[in-house]
Amino acid sequence: MEKIRIGIVGLGKLGWKHAENIAHKIPQAELIAACSATTKKVEKAKKELGIKYGYTNYEEMVKNPEVDAIAIISPSKYHYEHIELALKNGKHIFCEKPLALTLEECEEIEKLVKEYPDLYFMLGFMRRFDESYAYAKQKIDAGAIGKPFMVRCYGLDPIALVDVAIPFAKTSGGLYLDMMVHDIDLARWYLGAEGKTAYALGGCYVRDEFAQYNDVDNGVALIEFENGSIGMFYAGRTCAHGYHIETEIIGTKGSLRIGSTPDKNLTSIFNEHGVVKECCTSFLERFEQAYFNEVNYFINCLIKKEKPSVAVSDGVLSTKIAYACQHSLDEKSIITIK
């Protein structure tokens, strides 16, 4: 059976999960190389995952002729550089969002990808590969709720992780690009339209430290799409009860809701506090299967020589909307998305 030989860059929490999935769970993939700025992480990957090649220099890894494709799970500020080098060295690319930290770089990446039509590129909007979100898309396409005209999204990180989020905000691109962009991508997918105007509000209601990075700890956005449909979005970093990702799609004949409560599992605890449902505590817990599904899908696309459905343009178009939201927050005005 043909195998796609993968090199991965970035061995943080998410990178390690992807590395484990590629190494142990995808029969048609072989993880043969790993790159990290930290030698200790590279040695750990070689030992625990059976990886043949370890690098602290990314350019050396992409020059390895045995590597067919690169999984880019590095910090967002390096995505442009890592994508460019991978393309120039003839590698297919799976890249976790975002494409880059500026809209200009995202648009440059789109041009670069088009220059290499024989190389396959996929952006990791993993929620499209979550079973519940994928099922909702199937129901919409089947006409189960008529014509969808509104999407309402909550994307909330737990306050238990806010002390980690504060220093990360320096290079994350901000709440709208780092967090809300997932919901924006879903809205585009479900509504079948691109953004027209955006209006955003937010503030540092719990932790003032986000302000030093021109960021907020909680923010909302109202987006009008080109077909007249509406998106209402709330993203925050201070959720008391856990990691809460909720989406509602409203149509002319009904609605769909995903994740109305962020249940950890199907167990209910009956005790002196009443009936208690424990909640998910992190993105890896909630979307563990989706992260596997997206890379498995990418590998299958390479095997079948089919272009992935989540294209570089999805990253650019969703980023345009996210930046319009940030611009609206800064200017306190409605922004036209161009």
Side-chain angles (χ1 to χ4, degrees), residues 1-199:
M1 180 174 61
E2 181 184 359
K3 286 194 174 187
I4 304 298
R5 298 167 299 178
I6 306 292
I8 190 169
V9 57
L11 292 172
K13 187 181 294 185
L14 178 55
W16 187 262
K17 174 55 66 177
H18 276 307
E20 285 184 321
N21 286 340
I22 296 167
H24 298 315
K25 296 183 179 180
I26 304 177
Q28 291 178 298
E30 181 182 2
L31 187 64
I32 68 165
C35 179
S36 172
T38 307
T39 302
K40 187 176 180 180
K41 289 183 179 180
V42 174
E43 292 304 315
K44 179 184 178 186
K46 289 180 70 178
K47 180 181 178 180
E48 296 184 16
L49 301 178
I51 297 172
K52 185 177 180 180
Y53 300 105
Y55 300 91
T56 54
N57 184 305
Y58 175 75
E59 191 168 359
E60 290 181 8
M61 184 174 75
V62 295
K63 288 181 178 179
N64 186 333
E66 293 182 43
V67 175
D68 300 314
I70 301 292
I72 298 174
I73 326 293
S74 52
S76 302
K77 63 181 179 180
Y78 299 118
H79 284 190
Y80 179 92
E81 173 189 351
H82 287 172
I83 291 169
E84 182 179 31
L85 282 169
L87 290 170
K88 288 182 177 179
N89 283 277
K91 311 302 183 187
H92 304 293
I93 298 170
F94 170 85
C95 181
E96 277 296 347
K97 69 86 188 167
L99 281 175
L101 290 181
T102 70
L103 182 56
E104 291 74 19
E105 284 190 342
C106 289
E107 291 173 336
E108 283 300 313
I109 289 172
E110 185 174 27
K111 292 177 184 176
L112 274 172
V113 170
K114 289 179 179 178
E115 291 176 9
Y116 297 86
D118 295 331
L119 296 177
Y120 293 175
F121 180 95
M122 176 176 165
L123 189 64
F125 278 130
M126 82 293 184
R127 292 188 196 174
R128 295 194 188 202
F129 296 89
D130 175 78
E131 292 178 356
S132 296
Y133 281 102
Y135 182 71
K137 175 63 171 171
Q138 292 172 16
K139 299 301 285 184
I140 291 168
D141 291 346
I145 60 169
K147 181 180 179 181
F149 63 85
M150 183 182 296
V151 170
R152 175 185 62 85
C153 299
Y154 283 14
L156 310 178
D157 279 354
I159 195 168
L161 299 178
V162 72
D163 287 328
V164 176
I166 291 168
F168 179 64
K170 183 178 181 180
T171 58
S172 73
L175 179 137
Y176 292 94
L177 181 64
D178 179 46
M179 295 178 63
M180 194 179 289
V181 71
H182 279 294
D183 297 309
I184 290 169
D185 176 67
L186 286 175
R188 293 178 51 249
W189 193 42
Y190 287 142
L191 296 172
E194 301 303 334
K196 181 179 179 181
T197 62
Y199 183 60

Side-chain angles (χ1 to χ4, degrees), residues 196-249:
K196 181 179 179 181
T197 62
Y199 183 60
L201 294 169
C204 296
Y205 303 104
V206 181
R207 298 296 294 267
D208 292 336
E209 295 95 322
F210 286 102
Q212 65 186 304
Y213 305 120
N214 190 35
D215 203 356
V216 295
D217 58 28
N218 284 268
V220 299
L222 181 65
I223 296 169
E224 177 190 13
F225 288 84
E226 289 180 345
N227 63 0
S229 55
I230 302 166
M232 300 189 302
F233 305 88
Y234 167 38
R237 296 184 168 112
T238 59
C239 184
H241 58 269
Y243 180 68
H244 189 155
I245 304 299
E246 179 182 352
T247 306
E248 181 178 22
I249 308 102

Side-chain angles (χ1 to χ4, degrees), residues 1 26 42-43 131 148 160 195 200 231 238 256 279 293 295 298 314 326:
M1 180 174 61
I26 304 177
V42 174
E43 292 304 315
E131 292 178 356
T238 59
L256 299 165
C279 297
N293 290 346
V295 176
F298 173 68
D314 290 302
Q326 181 64 50

